Amino acid sequence: MKICTDFRRFASVRSPRASALLLSFFLMSILILVAISVSVLVLRDMGTVRTIVGGTQAYYAAEGTTELGLYELKKNLPGYEPTYEDLLFLSHANGDLNSLARSGNLVVPCEDQGEQWHALAQNESVQIPLFAQTDAAGTLEPSDGAYMNFYVEFYAGLEEGTVDLASVPVRDVLRWKVLGRTGSSTAPGATEAMSEYIPLYNELGFYDSTSPTKFGTADLGGLPPGYQDGKFYSSSGANFDAGYPISTFLSGHVFNYLVLTNIVTESTENETIFYRFRSMDYEPVCEYVELAASGSSTYGSARQDLNTLVREGENLPVFDFVIYHTNPEETETAAVSTVPDWAAVLLSE
């Protein structure tokens, strides 16, 4: 009996201590789980913040690279294709730029820049360069004394591109003008022009997209000489020729431009001019320059791509250089070989 009494006394003494130990282990386990959960949430939030910050840096790097490309387009002649490789913005972000300004298949509209035909509404005009700047040094194609052998296909139709055959225009529908400067590309002189008003060539049915009317310097396949020449006044006023060949004018001038204007005036449903420009030898300038910029940031391993279309001759957007630059002493805009001096100056300010 004494032994049982001692055991009950021992059990009554030890039981509260064991319970406290178990409770301590339980509470510690809960605290550890809470700490791990909080740590996971914190790490996840840190990863999210890194992604957001890195993505923002990459976006502005791409945007800034695009704006540098736009500035290059503004300061150079049509056809120039600016390119940047590894343009650095501090230590976290860099940008690359590729551009497309000239047609690789000798046709305007260029591939992936709309339909096969461009449209001109009544009284609307378009200007097409008949030369292109091919590099940063200002090299031109064609060079002095040569010219771009071309022709323009056009027809008058409804706004959606079809033709109302019951009301095909019979009077003049298109006015073209060629502008050029005398002298050479290094020492250009006065501006001269030749022009002409022309109708659709209805005698052989050249009035729709399958058989359009043509004019230009190239072989026009049965069209009369009146679609290869026009009226020319010399700048001195001493020379006038009502049948002056377009090719002769182009070979004697530099920085030539072609201007097309829709002059449909008669009552007709076919009031939209659809045109397509074709070169025979040199890559013509696309109506839109495509700028493909990409920005990347090592902080958060982020990347952003920006694709921009800018029409030749349009004004540039407002500049917005928000490129993580706070202290000139910390800049890491290492002037890689593709960055011109003016870009280094902009980025170091």
Side-chain angles (χ1 to χ4, degrees):
M1 295 295 296
K2 187 175 187 308
I3 294 175
C4 291
T5 303
D6 291 340
F7 178 77
R8 285 195 297 270
R9 185 184 299 122
F10 175 78
S12 64
V13 172
R14 299 295 296 174
S15 181
R17 294 182 179 179
S19 298
L21 183 60
L22 291 174
L23 182 60
S24 298
F25 279 124
F26 180 71
L27 291 175
M28 288 180 62
S29 299
I30 293 177
L31 292 174
I32 290 173
L33 289 174
V34 171
I36 292 175
S37 300
V38 171
S39 299
V40 170
L41 292 175
V42 170
L43 290 174
R44 183 177 299 172
D45 287 343
M46 290 178 61
T48 302
V49 170
R50 287 176 64 89
T51 300
I52 293 174
V53 173
T56 304
Q57 289 180 336
Y59 171 79
Y60 280 116
E63 183 185 81
T65 305
T66 298
E67 289 175 341
L68 288 174
L70 291 172
Y71 181 72
E72 283 264 36
L73 294 179
K74 189 67 175 179
K75 62 178 287 192
N76 287 284
L77 295 171
Y80 181 62
E81 298 176 331
T83 300
Y84 294 110
E85 296 179 0
D86 297 326
L87 187 63
L88 301 180
F89 301 99
L90 293 184
S91 60
H92 294 305
N94 65 0
D96 299 291
L97 178 70
N98 291 309
S99 61
L100 175 64
R102 300 191 303 276
S103 172
N105 56 6
L106 305 182
V107 178
V108 177
C110 294
E111 188 176 2
D112 299 326
Q113 290 192 5
E115 303 298 329
Q116 294 183 345
W117 300 84
H118 277 319
L120 284 177
Q122 281 184 300
N123 300 315
E124 185 179 4
S125 297
V126 65
Q127 180 172 275
I128 302 173
L130 299 179
F131 67 95
Q133 179 181 337
T134 61
D135 57 30
T139 304
L140 299 179
E141 285 186 351
S143 57
D144 291 0
Y147 64 91
M148 185 180 292
N149 200 26
F150 77 93
Y151 65 92
V152 174
E153 301 170 293
F154 69 96
Y155 69 96
L158 306 176
E159 187 174 352
E160 62 270 19
T162 59
V163 176
D164 181 4
L165 298 179
S167 59
V168 175
V170 295
R171 293 193 286 271
D172 294 338
V173 298
L174 186 71
R175 177 181 186 262
W176 62 260
K177 175 185 285 188
V178 177
L179 302 170
R181 300 188 64 175
T182 59
S184 65
S185 57
T186 55
T191 298
E192 294 185 331
M194 65 174 299
S195 62
E196 189 57 273
Y197 295 85
I198 53 177
L200 298 174
Y201 193 61
N202 286 329
E203 293 181 27
L204 297 179
F206 290 119
Y207 49 69
D208 61 21
S209 60
T210 59
S211 57
T213 301
K214 304 174 185 178
F215 79 91
T217 64
D219 182 7
L220 300 181
L223 284 143
Y227 290 85
Q228 292 177 288
D229 52 41
K231 298 179 177 64
F232 170 58
Y233 296 85
S234 65
S235 58
S236 63
N239 182 24
F240 168 71
D241 193 329
Y244 200 76
I246 301 173
S247 57
T248 303
F249 181 93
L250 294 179
S251 63
H253 295 77
V254 294
F255 302 118
N256 296 303
Y257 284 89
L258 172 66
V259 181
L260 305 178
T261 304
N262 180 342
I263 58 166
V264 176
T265 57
E266 63 183 278
S267 178
T268 173
E269 296 293 328
N270 302 298
E271 60 183 22
T272 302
I273 296 294
F274 295 90
Y275 72 92
R276 181 165 56 198
F277 180 93
R278 291 185 179 272
S279 172
M280 308 301 293
D281 35 31
Y282 300 99
E283 292 186 12
V285 176
C286 297
E287 183 180 11
Y288 296 92
V289 181
E290 299 180 25
L291 297 175
S294 62
S296 59
S297 173
T298 56
Y299 187 81
S301 300
R303 179 185 176 89
Q304 294 281 353
D305 295 315
L306 287 179
N307 294 317
T308 304
L309 287 177
V310 55
R311 192 169 187 172
E312 279 288 350
E314 284 188 345
N315 293 326
L316 296 181
V318 176
F319 279 78
D320 182 21
F321 287 102
V322 189
I323 306 296
Y324 304 102
H325 191 130
T326 56
N327 187 345
E329 297 179 357
E330 296 176 358
T331 182
E332 294 184 14
T333 54
V336 294
S337 60
T338 56
V339 180
D341 293 338
W342 59 263
V345 172
L346 283 175
L347 295 172
S348 64
E349 290 179 350

